[in-house]
């Protein structure tokens, strides 16, 4: 199955030339009649990606000990690079010289780069956000840096990724009060600056990131505003930082309800298997998480846990996992996604009593009952 | 196991070690080097990255020191280390110590030898040692040996004792080997000791040759322990006492110039740890071994051999320890490679050189990424393997002197 999909990808790339000036084309192959799940083909400059898709994170231009060839053989069609880290080491000038991040890593399929903004929340304690951008002290050389929307896009233009993320003003989902609204509104203004700064709109796709924390009103406003902009795709942001799962899924479903059907939805930072399956049911197409690459070596500890894809492990177990996601795709196409979800939950948990409450509720909200 | 040597100039040993493995169908060309592993896995490489290497040496080395802590698991498994590690279709040689790890001296007694494992020091008597080998189920293994007497600073008495003890251990090993079901069909190699004392070396070789062993392991000649000139003399003295038709393996010699010297002295097999120690330093092997005249200078220019890191050195200190970079390598940590978009070695056909640049390797090392080790190991094993092919070709066409000057860059 994987092989023929890749074959199709090659064919799609060839026919892509016929679609002038559109670096992203989404073809919806099937929609689940019960839930909000869809199976699509997303054609990007470097290759076509089948969704739903899990994108492994290769922070520094490498996938933690896995070669580019191994990654291809595993069926990976798109992976993530980290703008902040690569912007520091080895830096955009060298990468441009090496023919972009694709050339530098020798990865010929698709790449998505983040804006570099999230690092500032997660890596650096004292960062200061102003309208200009984010100011922080680099742990690499202790110099003060300002990352503005323009600079983030400039680096991502040098990296040459197929999908670029806007620079957003990120606040942790546990934060409440006026800061959440301020960050949401600033993210809209920064989206416009990112769109204006993009040197390569015909070969690189800029995605917007919906913010608004756990506040449905703020989310609504953000959705309304950002969907007015002509961007090729949307990410749902601000939702993978330790918030209550009950709040989490409600914001996801609210977001997918108000995002255009014909554009891809990328749920940022969501990677545990259960979360993935539920959010596919809620209408998300793309996912990423550092969890598999970070804990690949210790995966034995998680034997009873959520069995994430392990890109480092090429044993049949993990081929089974990457097939699991293709299975979701096949199941959506064949019209039996709800059965797939039930079988999946049954495999993941020893008994029905142990199904997470939030997952049961979320699935029920889109018509998939688990009993 | 049968060693078939080609009838070339006397003293030249080139041939095939055939009838290997329990099935008796594998063969290994000599001179050759073994595939070095830790606990049955090539460091940094998984099975499918190993496939990228293409043809692998027929014989895999498993130093007991890297698997000793798993003895119980092996015993419970009951099918040997090769099977447990997923090494199918290979011939397994189980040596004692790990050539890439330090082995402090001074812990051996008359009845035991200390093994240096990741879990610390393990004291082994012959029965305990043979029990471990039974759990490993190797195709070849060396006898327990007292290699403690290091040349610098060992008294003659201590050297004699190490020869005596090693022979005693061998005799005990032979007896236990014959009574151990799991070792039926396995070849036991005797170990020649004697430090830097010529008479002891000769005595050890003669006496060991009298025992019913399948081959010989030459200990105490390790790179950090003995200088080239003395090693050459003593190896020649030792091999003169050994039967022609049994293989000779030298422990702890990996540097290409020292390999060539040992080949001249009558050694057939080498441990393949040198690519690994280079990888651990972030270095890529880049020494030349192609004997054709014209492409040489072009490749030399392309590789910038004269300007690169280690290659500008013409001498390496004799008693170099394993941590130090040799002139046969380039150090990818060096800033000069930051924007060098050439492959590691121009013209090398390995996965790393076909797909990646020095700049990328430099980046991976600076960012401490796991992939650095994978790619460097792929290149280094490939390069080293090709070097050994070149050695065999040089012997076949009587051009060993040419190869020596190419490798030494003179």
């Amino acid at each position: 199955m994987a092989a023929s999909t890749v074959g199709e990808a090659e064919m799609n790339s060839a026919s892509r030339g016929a679609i002038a000036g559109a670096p992203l084309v989404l073809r919806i192959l099937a929609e689940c009649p019960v839930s909000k799940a869809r199976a699509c083909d997303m054609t990007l400059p470097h290759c076509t990606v089948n969704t739903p898709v899990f994108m492994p994170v290769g922070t520094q231009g490498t996938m933690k000990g896995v070669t580019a060839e191994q990654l291809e053989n595993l069926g990976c069609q798109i992976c993530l690079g980290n703008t902040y880290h690569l912007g520091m080491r080895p830096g955009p000038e060298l990468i441009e010289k090496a023919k972009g991040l694709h050339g530098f890593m020798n990865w010929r399929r698709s790449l998505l780069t983040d804006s570099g903004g999230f690092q500032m929340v997660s890596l650096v304690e004292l960062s200061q956000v102003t309208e200009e951008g984010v100011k922080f002290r680099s742990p690499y050389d202790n110099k003060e840096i300002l990352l503005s929307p323009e600079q983030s896009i400039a680096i991502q233009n040098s990296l040459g990724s197929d999908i670029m993320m806007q620079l957003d003003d990120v606040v942790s989902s546990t934060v409440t009060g006026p800061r959440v609204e301020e960050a949401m509104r600033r993210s809209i203004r920064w989206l416009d600056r990112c769109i204006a700064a993009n040197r390569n709109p015909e070969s690189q796709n800029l995605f917007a990131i919906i913010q608004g924390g756990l506040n449905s009103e703020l989310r609504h406003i953000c959705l309304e505003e950002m969907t007015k902009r002509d961007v090729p795709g949307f990410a749902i942001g601000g939702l993978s930082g330790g918030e209550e799962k009950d709040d989490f899924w409600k914001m996801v479903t609210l977001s997918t309800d108000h995002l255009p059907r014909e554009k891809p939805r990328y749920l940022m930072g969501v990677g545990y298997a259960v979360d993935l399956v539920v959010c596919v049911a809620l209408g998300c197409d793309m996912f990423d998480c550092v969890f598999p690459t970070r804990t690949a070596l210790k995966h034995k500890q998680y034997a009873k846990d959520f069995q994430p894809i392990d890109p480092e492990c090429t044993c049949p177990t993990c081929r089974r996992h990457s097939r699991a996601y293709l299975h979701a795709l096949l199941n959506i196409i064949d019209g039996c996604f709800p059965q797939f979800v039930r079988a999946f939950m049954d495999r993941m948990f020893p008994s029905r009593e142990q199904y997470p409450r939030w997952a049961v509720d979320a699935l029920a909200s889109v018509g998939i009952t688990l009993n | 196991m049968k060693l078939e040597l080609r009838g070339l100039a006397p003293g030249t040993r080139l041939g095939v070690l055939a009838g290997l493995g329990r099935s008796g169908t594998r063969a290994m060309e000599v001179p050759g080097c073994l595939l070095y592993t830790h606990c049955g896995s090539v460091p940094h490489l998984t099975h499918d990255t190993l496939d990228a290497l293409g043809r692998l040496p027929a014989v895999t080395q498993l130093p007991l020191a890297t698997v000793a802590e798993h003895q119980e698991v092996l015993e419970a498994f009951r099918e040997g280390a090769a099977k447990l590690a997923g090494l199918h279709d290979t011939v397994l040689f189980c040596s004692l110590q790990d050539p890439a790890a330090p082995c402090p001296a001074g812990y051996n007694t008359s009845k035991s030898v200390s093994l240096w494992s990741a879990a610390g020091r393990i004291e082994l008597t012959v029965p305990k040692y043979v029990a471990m080998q039974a759990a490993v189920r190797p195709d070849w293994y060396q006898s327990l040996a007292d290699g403690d007497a290091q040349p610098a600073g060992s008294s003659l008495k201590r050297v004699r004792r190490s020869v005596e003890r090693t022979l005693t251990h061998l005799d005990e090993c032979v007896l236990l080997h014959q009574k151990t079901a799991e070792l039926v069909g396995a070849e036991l190699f005797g170990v020649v000791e004697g430090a830097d004392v010529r008479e002891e070396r000769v005595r050890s070789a003669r006496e060991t040759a009298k025992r019913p062993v399948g081959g010989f392991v030459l200990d105490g000649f390790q790179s950090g322990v003995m200088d080239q000139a003395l090693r050459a003399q003593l190896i020649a003295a030792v091999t003169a006492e050994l039967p022609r038709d049994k293989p000779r393996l030298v422990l702890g010699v990996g540097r290409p110039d020292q390999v060539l010297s040992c080949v001249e002295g009558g050694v057939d097999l080498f441990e393949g740890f040198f690519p690994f120690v280079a990888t651990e330093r972030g270095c890529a092997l880049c020494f030349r071994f192609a004997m054709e005249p014209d492409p040489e200078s072009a490749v030399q220019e392309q590789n910038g051999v004269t300007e690169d890191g280690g290659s500008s050195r013409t001498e390496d200190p004799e008693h170099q320890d394993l941590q130090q970079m040799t002139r046969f390598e380039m150090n990818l940590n060096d800033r000069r490679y930051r924007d060098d978009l050439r492959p590691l070695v121009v013209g090398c056909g390995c996965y790393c050189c076909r797909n990646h640049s020095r700049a990328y390797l430099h980046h991976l090392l600076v960012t401490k990424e796991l992939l650095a080790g994978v790619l460097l190991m792929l290149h280094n094993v490939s390069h080293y393997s090709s070097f050994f092919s070149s050695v065999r070709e040089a012997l076949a066409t009587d051009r060993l002197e040419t190869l020596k000057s190419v490798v030494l860059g003179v």
Side-chain angles (χ1 to χ4, degrees):
Chain A
M1 185 58 212
S4 65
T5 309
V6 169
E8 281 164 35
E10 252 79 274
M11 270 167 46
N12 284 332
S13 297
S15 62
R16 197 191 344 115
I19 306 160
L24 188 153
V25 175
L26 190 76
R27 218 166 48 134
I28 300 175
L29 302 174
E31 286 171 291
C32 174
V34 175
S35 69
K36 299 198 278 176
R38 341 72 88 71
C40 313
D41 267 352
M42 179 172 62
T43 300
L44 295 168
H46 279 84
C47 80
T48 297
V49 178
N50 308 110
T51 73
V53 66
F54 175 83
M55 305 180 287
V57 179
T59 304
Q60 305 192 95
T62 155
M63 206 68 53
K64 292 280 179 289
V66 177
T67 63
E69 191 177 273
Q70 280 178 300
L71 208 52
E72 258 191 49
N73 292 340
L74 278 172
C76 174
Q77 296 166 324
I78 179 169
C79 59
L80 260 64
N82 188 288
T83 296
Y84 169 71
H85 289 293
L86 291 168
M88 290 292 117
R89 304 184 299 193
E93 301 81 14
L94 175 58
I95 295 192
E96 258 197 64
K97 191 175 164 201
K99 304 204 173 76
L101 186 54
H102 285 91
F104 189 60
M105 305 169 52
N106 200 18
W107 173 248
R108 45 187 191 166
R109 293 189 182 167
S110 292
L111 281 171
L112 184 152
T113 48
D114 72 342
S115 64
F118 186 65
Q119 264 58 48
M120 291 172 239
V121 173
S122 59
L123 277 187
V124 182
E125 279 170 17
L126 280 172
S127 64
Q128 197 203 349
V129 181
T130 65
E131 192 57 28
E132 226 193 322
V134 185
K135 238 191 273 191
F136 63 106
R137 204 165 280 283
S138 160
Y140 291 113
D141 54 12
N142 220 34
K143 284 196 226 148
E144 210 184 55
I145 304 181
L146 171 73
L147 188 69
S148 66
E150 291 74 19
Q151 270 148 359
S152 170
I153 297 305
I155 298 173
Q156 292 185 77
N157 280 150
S158 294
L159 296 177
S161 45
D162 300 79
I163 299 176
M164 309 187 290
M165 304 307 298
Q166 70 156 112
L167 182 67
D168 52 346
D169 184 0
V170 186
V171 290
S172 160
S173 53
T174 52
V175 168
T176 55
R179 177 73 187 105
V180 182
E181 177 164 359
E182 180 195 50
M184 182 273 284
R185 296 209 182 265
R186 180 170 292 135
S187 295
I188 300 170
R189 294 191 293 275
W190 282 3
L191 172 59
D192 289 338
R193 284 168 62 182
C194 286
I195 293 171
N198 184 7
R199 287 197 318 258
N200 304 323
E202 72 296 323
S203 59
Q204 290 185 271
N205 297 286
L206 175 60
F207 275 28
I209 307 179
I210 308 294
Q211 297 291 351
L214 301 176
N215 183 313
S216 31
E217 272 170 47
L218 294 178
R219 282 260 162 202
H220 261 297
I221 295 169
C222 198
L223 283 157
E224 212 182 291
E225 283 305 316
M226 287 191 170
T227 49
K228 288 179 188 163
R229 276 74 176 165
D230 182 27
V231 285
F234 295 90
I236 301 166
L239 285 182
S240 51
E243 65 279 341
E244 285 295 330
K245 278 297 204 280
D246 250 342
D247 300 321
F248 158 78
W249 76 262
K250 287 173 183 157
M251 291 297 107
V252 174
T253 207
L254 171 71
S255 303
T256 55
D257 279 341
H258 293 90
L259 285 172
R261 173 185 168 272
E262 69 285 354
K263 291 185 178 175
R265 298 93 173 256
Y266 166 24
L267 181 56
M268 302 186 82
V270 172
Y272 288 87
V274 176
D275 302 17
L276 264 165
V277 172
V278 171
C279 292
V280 166
L282 299 181
C284 298
D285 308 305
M286 300 159 66
F287 305 86
D288 78 280
C289 186
V290 287
F291 180 70
T293 39
R294 192 175 282 163
T295 60
L297 294 173
K298 303 177 222 157
H299 75 283
K300 274 186 242 134
Q301 291 174 36
Y302 297 88
K304 280 184 283 186
D305 208 295
F306 307 107
Q307 295 171 39
I309 293 177
D310 181 352
E312 201 172 283
C313 176
T314 53
C315 76
T317 308
C318 294
R319 287 192 191 278
R320 210 189 311 137
H321 280 295
S322 63
R323 273 205 290 275
Y325 295 99
L326 278 173
H327 264 136
L329 194 147
L330 285 177
N331 278 286
I332 299 169
I333 290 174
D334 292 344
C336 47
F337 182 67
Q339 281 106 292
F340 166 80
V341 175
R342 287 187 200 103
F344 170 82
M345 295 296 278
D346 193 45
R347 268 203 317 274
M348 291 298 307
F349 299 98
S351 72
R352 298 230 171 111
E353 286 77 51
Q354 285 170 289
Y355 289 179
R357 178 89 246 146
W358 74 270
V360 174
D361 292 343
L363 290 166
S365 81
V366 287
I368 300 181
T369 48
L370 296 174
N371 25 11
Chain B
M1 167 158 94
K2 190 164 156 46
L3 180 56
E4 295 156 3
L5 293 172
R6 295 216 234 159
L8 297 171
T12 314
R13 290 171 67 87
L14 173 69
V16 176
L17 201 46
L20 301 180
R22 304 308 176 102
S23 65
T25 56
R26 303 301 311 277
M28 168 131 190
E29 290 183 284
V30 294
C33 85
L34 310 186
L35 183 68
Y36 172 73
T37 70
H38 284 170
C39 202
S41 288
V42 176
H44 301 290
L45 303 183
T46 57
H47 288 304
D48 45 275
T49 38
L50 202 56
D51 281 345
L53 280 173
R55 233 184 38 166
L56 295 170
V59 181
T60 300
Q61 178 189 9
L62 172 61
L64 190 65
T66 68
V67 81
E69 53 196 303
H70 305 296
Q71 184 181 2
E72 278 176 29
V73 173
L74 282 168
E75 278 166 357
F77 184 67
R78 290 151 71 95
E79 291 182 77
K83 197 92 189 277
L84 186 62
L87 287 169
H88 306 296
D89 199 29
T90 190
V91 179
L92 192 67
F93 169 59
C94 190
S95 59
L96 184 62
Q97 309 288 5
D98 178 0
C103 294
Y107 291 85
N108 293 346
T109 69
S110 59
K111 288 265 182 295
S112 73
V113 168
S114 279
L115 184 67
W116 295 91
S117 81
R121 185 172 73 91
I122 303 177
E123 220 169 271
L124 295 172
T125 57
V126 175
K128 202 165 170 222
Y129 179 70
V130 176
M132 278 193 162
Q133 292 290 359
V136 169
R137 294 190 198 216
D139 295 289
W140 308 345
Y141 69 105
Q142 66 165 87
S143 171
L144 193 65
D146 177 9
D148 250 8
Q150 311 260 295
S154 292
S155 66
L156 182 56
K157 224 162 106 172
R158 181 66 186 89
V159 175
R160 281 207 183 113
R161 265 212 310 269
S162 85
V163 172
E164 286 302 331
R165 284 178 185 172
T166 301
L167 288 165
T168 310
H169 294 329
L170 175 57
D171 289 334
E172 214 188 325
C173 260
V174 167
L175 284 174
L176 286 174
H177 176 107
Q178 287 159 356
K179 292 188 206 155
T180 307
E182 296 90 339
L183 294 172
V184 166
E187 297 281 359
L188 174 61
F189 278 46
V191 184
V192 176
E193 297 286 352
D196 57 353
V197 180
R198 194 193 175 92
E199 302 99 61
E200 288 303 302
R201 280 286 174 190
V202 169
R203 185 167 77 94
S204 178
R206 274 192 194 144
E207 287 301 314
T208 308
K210 290 178 186 167
R211 274 71 172 173
V213 293
F216 300 91
V217 166
L218 277 46
D219 192 13
F221 290 112
Q222 283 79 353
S223 286
V225 152
M226 186 180 288
D227 68 48
Q228 184 102 314
L230 184 60
R231 179 186 301 114
Q233 280 177 38
L234 292 177
I235 287 200
V238 163
T239 57
E241 305 295 331
L242 301 177
R244 253 181 72 80
D245 62 347
K246 290 183 179 173
R248 304 92 174 253
L249 183 149
V250 69
L251 295 175
V253 173
R255 262 176 49 179
D257 54 338
Q258 294 174 357
V259 165
L260 289 170
S261 167
C262 288
V263 164
E264 285 182 306
V267 173
D268 305 314
L269 297 168
F270 298 81
E271 298 184 296
F273 65 99
F274 191 64
F276 171 66
V277 297
T279 299
E280 293 304 279
R281 319 187 244 270
C283 291
L285 300 184
C286 61
F287 62 94
R288 287 157 50 223
F289 49 77
M291 290 179 288
E292 288 63 44
D294 281 341
E296 255 175 40
S297 29
V299 170
Q300 191 168 20
E301 237 90 85
Q302 281 180 295
N303 284 333
V305 156
T306 45
E307 350 146 333
D308 283 339
S311 317
S312 57
R313 296 178 18 207
T314 49
E315 296 261 314
D316 284 296
E318 282 296 351
H319 290 262
Q320 193 168 41
D321 70 55
L322 290 171
Q323 314 306 319
Q324 282 175 273
M325 186 179 139
T326 66
R327 73 181 122 154
F328 305 102
E329 310 155 39
M330 54 198 291
N331 191 336
L332 271 307
N333 285 293
D334 197 310
R335 254 197 88 79
R336 81 178 77 192
Y337 299 114
R338 200 185 164 272
D339 52 4
D340 189 339
L341 296 175
R342 294 174 290 180
L344 293 179
V345 171
V346 174
C348 172
C350 82
Y351 175 86
C352 181
C353 290
R354 279 184 287 111
N355 289 290
H356 295 293
S357 63
R358 298 172 184 189
Y360 186 58
L361 259 308
H362 175 80
H363 166 72
L364 293 176
L365 285 165
V366 165
T367 54
K368 298 192 177 15
E369 282 286 342
L370 286 175
L371 191 60
V374 176
L375 294 177
L376 280 175
M377 199 62 183
L378 283 171
H379 170 76
N380 289 339
V381 173
S382 174
H383 192 93
Y384 201 60
S385 208
S386 301
F387 161 62
F388 272 88
S389 292
S390 211
V391 171
R392 292 188 289 271
E393 206 205 306
L395 287 169
T397 55
D398 196 22
R399 287 189 291 167
L400 199 63
E401 287 305 312
T402 308
L403 181 58
K404 269 162 69 176
S405 25
V406 167
V407 166
L408 291 171
V410 295

